């Protein structure tokens, strides 16, 4: 396969008004939290340490100015985490921008059916 003719894959980073940044890693973490129901489970699924995942969630909360994830403390009942409306909205906005950029990249390449 000729690398110069390989399809482009877009990677997006959003720069938030707060100065925070959101890219594919933080979005993957939010999606994994939604799937696993906990920060620890999401960290395991992504091969990330729990402290790293916790720090990224705190950074997201600070960058958004509101919580992206609600957390319930652990213990015998296990705790857990769920996305807030802000967390879901961030994922949706990111994926919308990413899809539009991917379509544009393919169109610029002269992909079949485009242009």
């Amino acid at each position: 396969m000729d690398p110069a003719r390989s399809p482009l894959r877009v990677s997006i980073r959003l720069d938030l008004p707060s100065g925070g940044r959101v890219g594919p890693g933080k979005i993957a973490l939010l999606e994994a939290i939604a799937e696993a129901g906990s920060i620890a489970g999401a960290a395991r699924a992504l091969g990330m340490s729990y402290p790293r995942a916790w720090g990224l969630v705190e950074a997201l909360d600070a960058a958004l100015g509101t919580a992206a994830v609600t957390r319930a403390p652990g213990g015998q009942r296990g705790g857990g985490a769920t996305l807030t409306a802000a967390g879901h909205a961030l994922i949706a906005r990111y994926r919308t921008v990413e899809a539009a950029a991917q379509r544009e990249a393919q169109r610029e390449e002269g992909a079949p059916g485009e242009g």
Side-chain angles (χ1 to χ4, degrees):
M1 178 190 275
D2 179 4
R5 302 303 295 158
S6 297
L8 294 177
R9 187 179 81 64
V10 172
S11 180
I12 298 293
R13 182 190 74 204
L14 302 179
D15 294 332
L16 303 175
S18 66
R21 294 179 172 168
V22 178
K26 289 178 183 166
I27 294 299
L29 177 59
L30 288 177
E31 290 172 335
I33 291 168
E35 176 83 18
S38 73
I39 296 172
R44 278 191 300 276
L46 296 174
M48 179 185 298
S49 74
Y50 176 75
R52 174 76 176 140
W54 184 266
L56 289 172
V57 168
E58 288 184 328
L60 275 167
D61 290 350
L64 292 173
T66 189
V69 177
T70 58
R71 308 138 179 95
Q76 287 196 285
R77 293 189 178 188
T82 58
L83 298 188
T84 64
H88 284 290
L90 180 61
I91 291 171
R93 188 169 192 187
Y94 181 90
R95 293 297 182 204
T96 297
V97 169
E98 180 184 54
Q102 187 66 52
R103 281 190 307 274
E104 184 63 21
Q106 290 170 350
R107 188 180 72 75
E108 288 296 320
E109 283 185 345
E114 298 285 336

